[in-house]
Amino acid sequence: MTATVSYAPTLEDRPSPPSLRMSLAPSGSAPALLDGAWWPRSRDLWAELPSLTAVLDPLWGRITRVTVNPAHWPTVPHKVPVDGHVVKVGSFLAEQDPHQLLLLSYRMGRWDLLVIPPQTTPVSAAWLMAAASDPLRTSTASQLMDEAARLRTVTETDRAVEAVWDAEGGHAAGGPPSRPRIPAVTAPVLGIPSVIPPNPAKGM
């Protein structure tokens, strides 16, 4: 789903923050390795976490702790002030998937999101969002990133072959059609459910 975060106006005339780019698995779906995907606009946790928790707090209960793998985060602050409280941030280099964000809500549950790199193209990001929020998939965050990379490679190869064929008069000569390209997958746009129950199959 795509969530839009609205903020109350302040005395300072600041531009409205952009909408949150995120997809979540359907409410009540079977437990999976991932509960959805998040596509931040930067690798700055201090700047990105407040808008994420602003959407997730009403859905999952107040997010109290977040853990990341520091491989893709230049700076990992110990605490990040968000709306009305502070989120503690931890990092695990060996124990946590480098493309995963783990969120904990005190006495409510644990959730795992695929973190899509900020520089990802919209087509790849849409595919990753749809895949990460599919409750039937059992891929890890890194496995989904690898699969997306393979799909990009195949698509780019097909386009290069077709470009050469066109340059040599392939279409004009009525030659055989090119191989079908991998279709772009668009992540579904869902309404935000009022309550997403905690995942009992995941440990705290």
Side-chain angles (χ1 to χ4, degrees):
M1 81 178 168
T2 300
T4 301
V5 184
S6 298
Y7 292 81
T10 64
L11 296 177
E12 299 179 62
D13 185 16
R14 295 179 180 177
S16 299
S19 60
L20 188 71
R21 304 182 298 186
M22 180 178 63
S23 66
L24 298 177
S27 177
S29 59
L33 292 179
L34 294 171
D35 300 291
W38 176 43
W39 187 18
R41 288 176 167 78
S42 73
R43 288 291 188 178
D44 184 350
L45 285 171
W46 187 273
E48 299 290 343
L49 279 181
S51 60
L52 179 65
T53 59
V55 169
L56 294 182
D57 279 358
L59 301 177
W60 292 348
R62 176 173 288 187
I63 302 300
T64 55
R65 184 172 178 82
V66 167
T67 67
V68 298
N69 184 312
H72 296 303
W73 300 96
T75 303
V76 180
H78 295 297
K79 295 180 180 179
V80 174
V82 300
D83 187 20
H85 65 288
V86 172
V87 173
K88 295 181 180 179
V89 183
S91 61
F92 298 95
L93 185 60
E95 299 88 347
Q96 187 163 335
D97 189 308
H99 298 288
Q100 173 193 7
L101 179 78
L102 186 153
L103 304 105
L104 295 173
S105 177
Y106 183 62
R107 292 184 178 177
M108 291 295 292
R110 161 188 166 174
W111 296 271
D112 301 270
L113 297 180
L114 164 70
V115 179
I116 302 173
Q119 71 276 13
T120 303
T121 64
V123 170
S124 292
W127 185 89
L128 286 164
M129 283 193 176
S133 57
D134 183 352
L136 299 181
R137 282 185 174 268
T138 58
S139 302
T140 65
S142 285
Q143 287 171 343
L144 285 182
M145 291 299 299
D146 290 343
E147 188 174 351
R150 287 194 297 270
L151 291 177
R152 282 197 303 272
T153 300
V154 171
T155 301
E156 290 167 2
T157 300
D158 284 351
R159 288 175 178 168
V161 169
E162 185 171 344
V164 171
W165 185 48
D166 285 346
E168 295 175 352
H171 280 103
S178 62
R179 288 188 298 163
R181 296 176 182 172
I182 298 174
V185 178
T186 303
V189 179
L190 306 175
I192 300 177
S194 58
V195 176
I196 295 181
N199 192 333
K202 294 187 177 182
M204 293 292 288

PDB file of all heavy atoms in Angstrom, residues 150-171:
ATOM      1  N   ARG A 150      18.247 -10.144 -10.891  1.00  0.00           N
ATOM      2  CA  ARG A 150      18.229 -11.083 -12.024  1.00  0.00           C
ATOM      3  C   ARG A 150      17.173 -10.671 -13.045  1.00  0.00           C
ATOM      4  O   ARG A 150      17.415 -10.726 -14.254  1.00  0.00           O
ATOM      5  CB  ARG A 150      17.964 -12.500 -11.528  1.00  0.00           C
ATOM      6  CG  ARG A 150      19.141 -13.133 -10.805  1.00  0.00           C
ATOM      7  CD  ARG A 150      18.949 -14.638 -10.642  1.00  0.00           C
ATOM      8  NE  ARG A 150      17.792 -14.948  -9.820  1.00  0.00           N
ATOM      9  CZ  ARG A 150      17.835 -15.095  -8.504  1.00  0.00           C
ATOM     10  NH1 ARG A 150      18.978 -14.937  -7.856  1.00  0.00           N
ATOM     11  NH2 ARG A 150      16.737 -15.394  -7.814  1.00  0.00           N
ATOM     12  N   LEU A 151      16.001 -10.252 -12.585  1.00  0.00           N
ATOM     13  CA  LEU A 151      14.958  -9.811 -13.503  1.00  0.00           C
ATOM     14  C   LEU A 151      15.396  -8.581 -14.293  1.00  0.00           C
ATOM     15  O   LEU A 151      15.118  -8.472 -15.489  1.00  0.00           O
ATOM     16  CB  LEU A 151      13.675  -9.518 -12.727  1.00  0.00           C
ATOM     17  CG  LEU A 151      12.955 -10.715 -12.112  1.00  0.00           C
ATOM     18  CD1 LEU A 151      11.754 -10.251 -11.312  1.00  0.00           C
ATOM     19  CD2 LEU A 151      12.528 -11.710 -13.173  1.00  0.00           C
ATOM     20  N   ARG A 152      16.093  -7.660 -13.614  1.00  0.00           N
ATOM     21  CA  ARG A 152      16.583  -6.471 -14.319  1.00  0.00           C
ATOM     22  C   ARG A 152      17.587  -6.864 -15.389  1.00  0.00           C
ATOM     23  O   ARG A 152      17.570  -6.337 -16.502  1.00  0.00           O
ATOM     24  CB  ARG A 152      17.234  -5.500 -13.329  1.00  0.00           C
ATOM     25  CG  ARG A 152      16.266  -4.677 -12.506  1.00  0.00           C
ATOM     26  CD  ARG A 152      16.954  -3.483 -11.870  1.00  0.00           C
ATOM     27  NE  ARG A 152      18.081  -3.879 -11.052  1.00  0.00           N
ATOM     28  CZ  ARG A 152      17.996  -4.200  -9.766  1.00  0.00           C
ATOM     29  NH1 ARG A 152      16.821  -4.188  -9.158  1.00  0.00           N
ATOM     30  NH2 ARG A 152      19.069  -4.537  -9.073  1.00  0.00           N
ATOM     31  N   THR A 153      18.472  -7.814 -15.073  1.00  0.00           N
ATOM     32  CA  THR A 153      19.491  -8.236 -16.032  1.00  0.00           C
ATOM     33  C   THR A 153      18.860  -8.866 -17.263  1.00  0.00           C
ATOM     34  O   THR A 153      19.239  -8.570 -18.405  1.00  0.00           O
ATOM     35  CB  THR A 153      20.466  -9.239 -15.374  1.00  0.00           C
ATOM     36  OG1 THR A 153      21.107  -8.603 -14.263  1.00  0.00           O
ATOM     37  CG2 THR A 153      21.520  -9.708 -16.365  1.00  0.00           C
ATOM     38  N   VAL A 154      17.872  -9.739 -17.063  1.00  0.00           N
ATOM     39  CA  VAL A 154      17.199 -10.382 -18.183  1.00  0.00           C
ATOM     40  C   VAL A 154      16.484  -9.350 -19.043  1.00  0.00           C
ATOM     41  O   VAL A 154      16.567  -9.377 -20.277  1.00  0.00           O
ATOM     42  CB  VAL A 154      16.200 -11.448 -17.676  1.00  0.00           C
ATOM     43  CG1 VAL A 154      15.345 -11.964 -18.821  1.00  0.00           C
ATOM     44  CG2 VAL A 154      16.950 -12.607 -17.032  1.00  0.00           C
ATOM     45  N   THR A 155      15.791  -8.417 -18.409  1.00  0.00           N
ATOM     46  CA  THR A 155      15.060  -7.395 -19.150  1.00  0.00           C
ATOM     47  C   THR A 155      16.003  -6.514 -19.949  1.00  0.00           C
ATOM     48  O   THR A 155      15.757  -6.207 -21.118  1.00  0.00           O
ATOM     49  CB  THR A 155      14.225  -6.543 -18.180  1.00  0.00           C
ATOM     50  OG1 THR A 155      13.316  -7.393 -17.472  1.00  0.00           O
ATOM     51  CG2 THR A 155      13.433  -5.487 -18.934  1.00  0.00           C
ATOM     52  N   GLU A 156      17.116  -6.099 -19.335  1.00  0.00           N
ATOM     53  CA  GLU A 156      18.080  -5.250 -20.031  1.00  0.00           C
ATOM     54  C   GLU A 156      18.727  -6.001 -21.189  1.00  0.00           C
ATOM     55  O   GLU A 156      18.984  -5.420 -22.256  1.00  0.00           O
ATOM     56  CB  GLU A 156      19.138  -4.762 -19.047  1.00  0.00           C
ATOM     57  CG  GLU A 156      18.592  -3.743 -18.041  1.00  0.00           C
ATOM     58  CD  GLU A 156      19.534  -3.491 -16.883  1.00  0.00           C
ATOM     59  OE1 GLU A 156      20.645  -4.091 -16.892  1.00  0.00           O
ATOM     60  OE2 GLU A 156      19.194  -2.709 -15.978  1.00  0.00           O
ATOM     61  N   THR A 157      19.002  -7.296 -21.022  1.00  0.00           N
ATOM     62  CA  THR A 157      19.575  -8.097 -22.098  1.00  0.00           C
ATOM     63  C   THR A 157      18.602  -8.202 -23.261  1.00  0.00           C
ATOM     64  O   THR A 157      18.974  -8.061 -24.429  1.00  0.00           O
ATOM     65  CB  THR A 157      19.938  -9.504 -21.592  1.00  0.00           C
ATOM     66  OG1 THR A 157      20.896  -9.391 -20.538  1.00  0.00           O
ATOM     67  CG2 THR A 157      20.523 -10.353 -22.716  1.00  0.00           C
ATOM     68  N   ASP A 158      17.327  -8.459 -22.963  1.00  0.00           N
ATOM     69  CA  ASP A 158      16.312  -8.539 -24.015  1.00  0.00           C
ATOM     70  C   ASP A 158      16.215  -7.231 -24.788  1.00  0.00           C
ATOM     71  O   ASP A 158      16.089  -7.227 -26.017  1.00  0.00           O
ATOM     72  CB  ASP A 158      14.956  -8.876 -23.404  1.00  0.00           C
ATOM     73  CG  ASP A 158      14.839 -10.341 -23.015  1.00  0.00           C
ATOM     74  OD1 ASP A 158      15.737 -11.117 -23.381  1.00  0.00           O
ATOM     75  OD2 ASP A 158      13.856 -10.707 -22.335  1.00  0.00           O
ATOM     76  N   ARG A 159      16.275  -6.113 -24.077  1.00  0.00           N
ATOM     77  CA  ARG A 159      16.182  -4.822 -24.754  1.00  0.00           C
ATOM     78  C   ARG A 159      17.397  -4.576 -25.640  1.00  0.00           C
ATOM     79  O   ARG A 159      17.278  -4.018 -26.737  1.00  0.00           O
ATOM     80  CB  ARG A 159      16.046  -3.711 -23.713  1.00  0.00           C
ATOM     81  CG  ARG A 159      14.678  -3.682 -23.033  1.00  0.00           C
ATOM     82  CD  ARG A 159      14.629  -2.659 -21.930  1.00  0.00           C
ATOM     83  NE  ARG A 159      13.292  -2.610 -21.316  1.00  0.00           N
ATOM     84  CZ  ARG A 159      13.015  -1.982 -20.193  1.00  0.00           C
ATOM     85  NH1 ARG A 159      13.977  -1.328 -19.551  1.00  0.00           N
ATOM     86  NH2 ARG A 159      11.784  -1.982 -19.702  1.00  0.00           N
ATOM     87  N   ALA A 160      18.586  -4.981 -25.169  1.00  0.00           N
ATOM     88  CA  ALA A 160      19.793  -4.799 -25.967  1.00  0.00           C
ATOM     89  C   ALA A 160      19.740  -5.650 -27.237  1.00  0.00           C
ATOM     90  O   ALA A 160      20.096  -5.190 -28.334  1.00  0.00           O
ATOM     91  CB  ALA A 160      21.030  -5.164 -25.144  1.00  0.00           C
ATOM     92  N   VAL A 161      19.267  -6.895 -27.107  1.00  0.00           N
ATOM     93  CA  VAL A 161      19.158  -7.774 -28.273  1.00  0.00           C
ATOM     94  C   VAL A 161      18.152  -7.206 -29.265  1.00  0.00           C
ATOM     95  O   VAL A 161      18.386  -7.195 -30.486  1.00  0.00           O
ATOM     96  CB  VAL A 161      18.745  -9.199 -27.837  1.00  0.00           C
ATOM     97  CG1 VAL A 161      18.370 -10.053 -29.037  1.00  0.00           C
ATOM     98  CG2 VAL A 161      19.869  -9.853 -27.044  1.00  0.00           C
ATOM     99  N   GLU A 162      17.031  -6.721 -28.763  1.00  0.00           N
ATOM    100  CA  GLU A 162      16.008  -6.164 -29.646  1.00  0.00           C
ATOM    101  C   GLU A 162      16.506  -4.902 -30.339  1.00  0.00           C
ATOM    102  O   GLU A 162      16.188  -4.657 -31.519  1.00  0.00           O
ATOM    103  CB  GLU A 162      14.742  -5.865 -28.857  1.00  0.00           C
ATOM    104  CG  GLU A 162      13.585  -5.407 -29.722  1.00  0.00           C
ATOM    105  CD  GLU A 162      12.275  -5.319 -28.971  1.00  0.00           C
ATOM    106  OE1 GLU A 162      12.196  -5.886 -27.870  1.00  0.00           O
ATOM    107  OE2 GLU A 162      11.349  -4.681 -29.492  1.00  0.00           O
ATOM    108  N   ALA A 163      17.304  -4.082 -29.622  1.00  0.00           N
ATOM    109  CA  ALA A 163      17.834  -2.864 -30.229  1.00  0.00           C
ATOM    110  C   ALA A 163      18.765  -3.206 -31.386  1.00  0.00           C
ATOM    111  O   ALA A 163      18.736  -2.559 -32.439  1.00  0.00           O
ATOM    112  CB  ALA A 163      18.568  -2.031 -29.179  1.00  0.00           C
ATOM    113  N   VAL A 164      19.610  -4.217 -31.196  1.00  0.00           N
ATOM    114  CA  VAL A 164      20.519  -4.642 -32.269  1.00  0.00           C
ATOM    115  C   VAL A 164      19.724  -5.173 -33.446  1.00  0.00           C
ATOM    116  O   VAL A 164      19.999  -4.872 -34.609  1.00  0.00           O
ATOM    117  CB  VAL A 164      21.502  -5.710 -31.745  1.00  0.00           C
ATOM    118  CG1 VAL A 164      22.305  -6.304 -32.906  1.00  0.00           C
ATOM    119  CG2 VAL A 164      22.433  -5.112 -30.702  1.00  0.00           C
ATOM    120  N   TRP A 165      18.717  -5.977 -33.146  1.00  0.00           N
ATOM    121  CA  TRP A 165      17.885  -6.554 -34.201  1.00  0.00           C
ATOM    122  C   TRP A 165      17.183  -5.463 -35.006  1.00  0.00           C
ATOM    123  O   TRP A 165      17.121  -5.488 -36.234  1.00  0.00           O
ATOM    124  CB  TRP A 165      16.872  -7.520 -33.573  1.00  0.00           C
ATOM    125  CG  TRP A 165      16.037  -8.277 -34.570  1.00  0.00           C
ATOM    126  CD1 TRP A 165      16.467  -8.949 -35.673  1.00  0.00           C
ATOM    127  CD2 TRP A 165      14.613  -8.423 -34.544  1.00  0.00           C
ATOM    128  NE1 TRP A 165      15.411  -9.525 -36.330  1.00  0.00           N
ATOM    129  CE2 TRP A 165      14.256  -9.218 -35.654  1.00  0.00           C
ATOM    130  CE3 TRP A 165      13.616  -7.975 -33.667  1.00  0.00           C
ATOM    131  CZ2 TRP A 165      12.939  -9.559 -35.939  1.00  0.00           C
ATOM    132  CZ3 TRP A 165      12.306  -8.325 -33.940  1.00  0.00           C
ATOM    133  CH2 TRP A 165      11.973  -9.108 -35.066  1.00  0.00           C
ATOM    134  N   ASP A 166      16.657  -4.440 -34.292  1.00  0.00           N
ATOM    135  CA  ASP A 166      16.001  -3.320 -34.972  1.00  0.00           C
ATOM    136  C   ASP A 166      16.990  -2.561 -35.846  1.00  0.00           C
ATOM    137  O   ASP A 166      16.663  -2.147 -36.961  1.00  0.00           O
ATOM    138  CB  ASP A 166      15.386  -2.368 -33.953  1.00  0.00           C
ATOM    139  CG  ASP A 166      14.100  -2.920 -33.335  1.00  0.00           C
ATOM    140  OD1 ASP A 166      13.562  -3.896 -33.894  1.00  0.00           O
ATOM    141  OD2 ASP A 166      13.662  -2.390 -32.296  1.00  0.00           O
ATOM    142  N   ALA A 167      18.217  -2.369 -35.327  1.00  0.00           N
ATOM    143  CA  ALA A 167      19.227  -1.634 -36.084  1.00  0.00           C
ATOM    144  C   ALA A 167      19.610  -2.355 -37.369  1.00  0.00           C
ATOM    145  O   ALA A 167      20.013  -1.731 -38.355  1.00  0.00           O
ATOM    146  CB  ALA A 167      20.468  -1.420 -35.214  1.00  0.00           C
ATOM    147  N   GLU A 168      19.470  -3.662 -37.347  1.00  0.00           N
ATOM    148  CA  GLU A 168      19.805  -4.456 -38.533  1.00  0.00           C
ATOM    149  C   GLU A 168      18.589  -4.694 -39.424  1.00  0.00           C
ATOM    150  O   GLU A 168      18.633  -5.508 -40.350  1.00  0.00           O
ATOM    151  CB  GLU A 168      20.398  -5.803 -38.101  1.00  0.00           C
ATOM    152  CG  GLU A 168      21.734  -5.649 -37.387  1.00  0.00           C
ATOM    153  CD  GLU A 168      22.267  -6.978 -36.846  1.00  0.00           C
ATOM    154  OE1 GLU A 168      21.508  -7.974 -36.907  1.00  0.00           O
ATOM    155  OE2 GLU A 168      23.418  -7.010 -36.382  1.00  0.00           O
ATOM    156  N   GLY A 169      17.487  -3.989 -39.140  1.00  0.00           N
ATOM    157  CA  GLY A 169      16.306  -4.103 -39.977  1.00  0.00           C
ATOM    158  C   GLY A 169      15.406  -5.268 -39.654  1.00  0.00           C
ATOM    159  O   GLY A 169      14.618  -5.709 -40.491  1.00  0.00           O
ATOM    160  N   GLY A 170      15.491  -5.767 -38.410  1.00  0.00           N
ATOM    161  CA  GLY A 170      14.713  -6.941 -38.030  1.00  0.00           C
ATOM    162  C   GLY A 170      13.220  -6.760 -38.185  1.00  0.00           C
ATOM    163  O   GLY A 170      12.552  -7.547 -38.835  1.00  0.00           O
ATOM    164  N   HIS A 171      12.678  -5.684 -37.598  1.00  0.00           N
ATOM    165  CA  HIS A 171      11.236  -5.478 -37.686  1.00  0.00           C
ATOM    166  C   HIS A 171      10.803  -5.154 -39.109  1.00  0.00           C
ATOM    167  O   HIS A 171       9.777  -5.629 -39.593  1.00  0.00           O
ATOM    168  CB  HIS A 171      10.797  -4.346 -36.740  1.00  0.00           C
ATOM    169  CG  HIS A 171      10.657  -4.798 -35.316  1.00  0.00           C
ATOM    170  ND1 HIS A 171      11.596  -4.510 -34.369  1.00  0.00           N
ATOM    171  CD2 HIS A 171       9.702  -5.543 -34.706  1.00  0.00           C
ATOM    172  CE1 HIS A 171      11.224  -5.041 -33.201  1.00  0.00           C
ATOM    173  NE2 HIS A 171      10.083  -5.679 -33.389  1.00  0.00           N
TER     174      HIS A 171
END
